Amino acid sequence: MLKYLVQVFILSHVVASKKHPEPYYGTKIGPLVEFAHGIKGTAYAVDETTIFIKGFSYDGTGPDAFFWIGNSPRPSPEGTFIPYPEDYHEREPPVLKAHNNSDIILRLPMGKRIRDIRWLSVWCRRFTVDFGEVFIPPNLEVPKPRVLPEFKRLAHGLRSDNISILDAKTFYIPNLHYDGAGPDAYFWVGNGTEPTAFGYKVPNELGSLEPLRGYLGEDIEIQLPGTLTVYDIDWLAVWCVQFRHNFGHVMIPKDLDVPPALGQTKISPPWWYNPTTTTTAQPAPTNCREFLDKRLQVKWIMKGDHVEITLSARISEDKYIAFGLSGGNNKAQMIGADVTIAYFDKDERSFRAEDYYISHASQCDGKSGVCPDERIGGRNDVTVLHGERHNGITTIKYSKPLHTNEAINDRPIPDNEPVSIIAAFGPLNSRKEANAHTYKDRLDTDVQINFSDMNDHQCTLSLDNMPEDGVLAWPQSKIIGDNTFYVKIGPTGGNKGYPKITGMPSWGICYYINDKLIPELTVERGQTYTFVVEAGESSSNPARFHPIYITDSNEGAYAQLSKDKQRKQQIYAGVGYGADGKAYPMTTGRYCEWTHKSIDKSAESDTFEDFMKTLRLECDEGEPAYLNWTVPMDAPDLLYYQCFIHSNLGWKIHIVDPGYISEQNGRTANKATGKSLPIGISLISLATIIQTILHRRQ
Ligand SMILES: *[C@@H]1O[C@H](CO)[C@@H](O)[C@H](O)[C@H]1NC(C)=O
Ligand SMILES: *[C@@H]1O[C@H](CO)[C@@H](O)[C@H](O)[C@H]1NC(C)=O
Ligand SMILES: *[C@@H]1O[C@H](CO)[C@@H](O)[C@H](O)[C@H]1NC(C)=O
Ligand SMILES: *[C@@H]1O[C@H](CO)[C@@H](O)[C@H](O)[C@H]1NC(C)=O
Ligand SMILES: *[C@@H]1O[C@H](CO)[C@@H](O)[C@H](O)[C@H]1NC(C)=O
């Protein structure tokens, strides 16, 4: 994967801190002692799970050499590889190549920490020879991330959980909420006792300097730009540049001692994020199934004598995903099950997968219950290959052997026939072991998987549409056959509305058309449609100014885009251009909003219709705006109605060929009456189309 390719760091990218002698690479472990093949370099502890080797050299002539770690008294065959470089696709890393004064980042595998090992060696496995080594001093003080308070909640619904400084350039902001309504807001850093206009923009989690979109409880990482480090700033804020308005901030303490920023903190767009298109990138063609109301996605592929399994779910950081072989044939049974418990360890900031055996449906008491194999005299046969957490979704890929030599704790994975599996979500206890899960969070019917299958693709959701805690969206409403669309503003319907329906973030309000929540519209090419828009008329009140326009963008917010981005967006209606060539919105009318009679009742409302009963319409004085749109004959099949100012208020318009809608209506009417369709209707609609086209030509 691309993000792992950058392994060797150029000195100028190394960022020093004020506190330490420059340049700072972490706590010094010591020089590598050479026994053979020109081994050189100095090792540093960057953080609990990362070692940096400055100036590594090796002649590359050993036949079977690896970076090797262990906790025996001296380097020995009782060790483990460090997966280096990280982008290999085999079961083992490739044999170590020659290096001449390279800077190397080594991430310890399988959640191992520096305190768990006694030495690092360049080790030739075939001949069990130590080419060079360094010992980890006992009680080595390793730089650690620093936990800060949360964002102050000053405006626009900005809030978060406690923010962490992961390293000298990287912030981790969990559970970030922001309504996205600031017209020109950014992450912003600077000096002084509180945020001011003298500051620097910080790119968002995707590395972009666009104005911030809305966030709905996402966990993100952002990195300071250029040579700035956390030692150079006094605060991190969300700041509106245009109106010099602080939406909330957190102060950075002066007594920091955090890991250096050598690039060990992975920051990269999620693998399904594809900046050039808006469609979801398809993952590699492994097998895929969804379980637990589509809340758990399991991908697998058999490779020789082991199987690689990827689990993805939208779960909070204190939860685990359990997946494995059922304890009984043809039924979902916990007792006797051999499962893997996978989770994100938020304290260590690493991903874990542990082999469990379930002898009783109770918490592990050290002998029986739901126990890690390692606690009952067995071995953890599961290896974590990859883990990531983005937008609240945890994805962990691990490898498990089909057969082990532990007859008691491990059930063999059959390599040519289906087997019953079980799956669950649940909370971790304080030992980070699996606690009991609720009935709703476990598979209770028999499901079988043939692990040797090559072609079992039953997944229907992309990861970002994955529901949380089993809350399903209200059904998508549709408008087909109407020619007039009454556009107003209303609440997004919490966890059942806009974000679930669209899979995109929302900031609390969205369009209601003909009193439906972001309906999908269907329109015919050549037909004229009228939008009666009551979504605000004054740009001086941005929170109540949402002029609609028609575009090919699934986010909208044309006004916020850079010139380059604007050129990429095609506009179909609702936008005028001034003498200076500047775009302005034409659909400015009075403001009407559906508001909560009391508080948001979306969680208690089974249907959108129930929810509507908890709303009341409030309108300002004034007139609506009218937009008449004749759909061009060459319009693409999918367009969107969106807000000219803010992103993510609207949704889809399906464009169909002339006659399609009346044909559909005819078909349903036909079904209902059981009579055949009179030919006259299609002739009439054909006449209308021709008329419309002629009308447009004039
Ligand atoms: C390593 O690089 C240096 C400087 O580029 C060069 O002088 C030296 O010969 C190289 N050593 C080896 C073993 O290639
Ligand atoms: C979060 O920050 C507050 C305020 O600094 C602090 O009291 C609390 O202990 C922090 N929580 C965690 C989990 O670190
Ligand atoms: C803040 O002040 C420090 C020392 O006064 C300086 O080194 C640093 O560059 C300043 N940071 C910014 C962002 O201006
Ligand atoms: C399991 O899948 C493999 C590979 O597709 C196939 O050869 C085998 O027949 C399947 N077994 C059963 C019992 O369906
Ligand atoms: C838009 O269409 C409506 C109804 O077809 C018509 O009454 C109105 O005059 C039109 N408005 C504009 C600005 O063309």
Side-chain angles (χ1 to χ4, degrees), residues 147-150 162:
V147 181
L148 308 180
E150 49 174 66
N162 284 33

Side-chain angles (χ1 to χ4, degrees), residues 179 181 486-493 507-513 515 517 532-537 541-546 589-598 600 608 611-612 614-621 646 649:
D179 70 12
Y486 296 90
V487 181
K488 298 180 175 69
I489 298 295
T492 43
W507 48 283
I509 60 165
C510 63
Y511 287 124
Y512 280 46
I513 297 188
D515 299 343
L517 178 83
V532 182
V533 187
E534 296 172 315
E537 51 195 340
N541 190 350
R544 291 162 78 86
F545 186 51
H546 309 297
R590 70 167 182 170
Y591 188 72
C592 283
E593 180 176 348
W594 288 98
T595 60
H596 302 296
K597 284 179 188 161
S598 56
D600 187 346
F608 173 70
F611 180 59
M612 261 319 252
T614 71
L615 305 180
R616 91 160 74 80
L617 186 65
E618 288 179 1
C619 290
D620 291 349
E621 296 284 292
H646 303 99
L649 261 65

